[in-house]
């Protein structure tokens, strides 16, 4: 009798940053499909390791030496860590700008050739909600948080052309269990579609630096992924199943940021001094 050896996984070790966060908790388990070992990291406490294939390391992304050590023996990085809402420039600078730079430097120094970067729809947040965008539309960041994501995307372009490190930047819409308001009926990305998107971003070949908007197959869409077709991302879910529930909420005023801009309330967050 011959014993069937399990098919080899595409990666030996994937580093997941932001593992304690909403999306990190979802992706931590899912990534085990693609790697022998998942190394989860965050500045906040995480669920404990459940064995030698599931490493857990606390790390502040703003600490360059710690990030360089964190990336030892890693083959791919899913970079979710950082501040995920609008905050003061000083806070964003440490976690998101320095933090993402440290991730790219660690990739360069360790020869890591694939990064999946959690960018955000807020890099184009100052477009009106009736604008139709694609990855080539000029960015209109809606705050310091969005600027840090724009910087991350530019780091990705630079590190590809200079060092051949490939990145897929995911301009995630709103990834939560369900859309929370009318705006999110357009921007919602289900967790299942998120997992599929991250899988395509890790496994697609010759991505260079690709930019893809992360939304489910919602009825009303603001973003067209025509320039990311090579990734083969085909969302299966739709926010439509939540419409009746969401429409029970009071409608935002026609001149409220949530009605005017794709970035919604982020366009009026701050100032922080
Ligand atoms: P989250 O805020 O729940 O998770 C982010 C994690 O990063 C947190 O666990 C936090 O402790 C960690 N973190 C913050 N500063 C850090 C530092 N200095 N060092 C190490 N870790 C640090 O955010 P969520 O929703 O899980 O999002 C994950 C990523 O996806 C974020 O980068 C966010 O900007 C991005 N994104 C998320 C969207 C969503 O709808 N959930 C939409 C667009 C982008
Ligand atoms: C983001 O970039 C945030 O990280 C997330 O918390 C949501 O607010 C999302 O955008 C959104 O635009 O709904």
């Amino acid at each position: 009798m011959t014993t069937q050896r399990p098919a080899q996984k595409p990666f030996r070790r994937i580093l997941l940053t932001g593992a304690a966060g909403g999306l990190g908790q979802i992706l931590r388990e899912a990534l085990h499909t693609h790697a022998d070992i998942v190394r989860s990291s965050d500045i906040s406490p995480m669920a404990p390791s459940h064995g030698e294939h599931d490493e857990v390391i606390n790390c502040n992304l703003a600490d360059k030496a710690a990030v360089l050590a964190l990336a030892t023996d890693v083959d791919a990085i899913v970079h979710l860590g950082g501040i995920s809402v609008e905050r003061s420039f000083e806070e964003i600078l440490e976690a998101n700008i320095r933090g993402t730079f440290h991730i790219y430097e660690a990739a360069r120094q360790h020869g890591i050739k694939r990064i999946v970067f959690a960018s955000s729809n807020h890099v184009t947040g100052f477009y009106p909600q009736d604008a139709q965008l694609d990855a080539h539309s000029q960015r209109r960041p809606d705050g310091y948080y969005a600027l840090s994501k724009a910087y991350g995307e530019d780091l990705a372009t630079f590190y590809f052309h200079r060092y051949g490190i490939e990145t897929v930047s995911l301009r995630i819409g709103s990834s939560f269990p369900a859309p929370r308001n009318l705006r999110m009926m357009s921007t919602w990305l289900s967790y299942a579609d998120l997992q599929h998107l991250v899988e395509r971003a890790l496994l697609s070949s010759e991505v260079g630096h690709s930019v893809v908007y992360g939304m489910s197959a919602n009825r009303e869409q603001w973003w067209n992924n025509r320039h990311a077709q090579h990734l083969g991302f085909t969302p299966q879910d739709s926010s439509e199943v939540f419409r009746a529930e969401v429409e029970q909420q009071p409608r935002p005023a026609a001149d409220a940021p949530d009605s005017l801009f794709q970035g919604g309330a982020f366009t009026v967050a701050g100032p922080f001094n």
Side-chain angles (χ1 to χ4, degrees):
M1 196 178 93
T2 53
T3 345
Q4 201 80 31
R5 195 175 168 274
Q8 218 179 341
K9 295 183 181 178
F11 298 100
R12 169 82 180 133
R13 182 182 278 103
I14 292 178
L15 169 62
L16 170 67
T17 70
L23 304 190
Q25 290 181 56
I26 297 297
L27 289 173
R28 178 168 164 186
E29 282 319 304
L31 289 178
H32 280 279
T33 314
H34 309 302
D36 296 330
I37 302 167
V38 175
R39 177 175 292 166
S40 295
S41 178
D42 205 291
I43 197 170
S44 301
M46 292 161 280
S49 159
H50 52 73
E52 60 183 13
H53 299 290
D54 187 57
E55 300 172 342
V56 175
I57 301 178
N58 268 100
C59 176
N60 181 353
L61 289 162
D63 180 340
K64 187 174 187 182
V67 175
L68 292 185
L70 180 70
T72 306
D73 294 330
V74 162
D75 307 301
I77 303 176
V78 177
H79 179 43
L80 307 184
I83 293 172
S84 63
V85 290
E86 184 62 339
R87 286 283 179 270
S88 72
F89 176 73
E90 288 73 15
E91 288 173 83
I92 297 283
L93 175 64
E94 294 305 316
N96 293 20
I97 296 183
R98 285 192 205 285
T100 303
F101 167 65
H102 296 158
I103 287 290
Y104 275 88
E105 269 302 282
R108 180 183 70 79
Q109 293 194 26
H110 290 290
I112 300 164
K113 291 297 186 194
R114 179 62 58 100
I115 296 179
V116 179
F117 171 55
S119 182
S120 170
N121 73 89
H122 292 282
V123 297
T124 49
F126 255 125
Y127 278 93
Q129 292 188 354
D130 59 7
Q132 288 291 315
L133 309 182
D134 63 32
H136 293 178
S137 303
Q138 193 170 19
R139 290 183 299 219
R140 287 191 192 174
D142 60 20
Y144 303 118
Y145 164 71
L147 284 164
S148 76
K149 296 299 187 181
Y151 173 73
E153 291 187 3
D154 286 346
L155 274 179
T157 299
F158 168 65
Y159 275 79
F160 172 62
H161 291 292
R162 182 70 175 81
Y163 302 111
I165 296 169
E166 294 195 296
T167 297
V168 179
S169 288
L170 315 179
R171 288 184 181 170
I172 302 170
S174 307
S175 197
F176 299 106
R180 294 173 173 174
N181 51 43
L182 207 52
R183 170 183 166 272
M184 289 192 191
M185 290 298 291
S186 293
T187 60
W188 186 62
L189 174 68
S190 73
Y191 286 160
D193 286 337
L194 168 76
Q195 286 176 31
H196 169 54
L197 179 58
V198 170
E199 175 179 296
R200 297 313 311 145
L202 279 170
L203 302 186
S204 297
S205 59
E206 297 184 31
V207 297
H209 174 212
S210 298
V211 172
V212 57
Y213 280 93
M215 76 285 191
S216 286
N218 305 326
R219 191 178 82 189
E220 282 139 27
Q221 303 204 352
W222 302 332
W223 312 315
N224 184 313
N225 273 330
R226 74 185 108 211
H227 302 299
Q229 282 176 7
H230 54 286
L231 298 177
F233 169 54
T234 42
Q236 301 297 313
D237 294 322
S238 166
S239 60
E240 213 46 34
V241 295
F242 300 102
R243 183 168 292 279
E245 205 177 314
V246 168
E247 286 189 346
Q248 277 178 1
Q249 297 174 8
R251 271 187 112 77
D255 60 352
D258 243 26
S259 304
L260 290 176
F261 295 109
Q262 297 192 0
F266 278 57
T267 60
V268 291
F272 296 92
N273 57 0

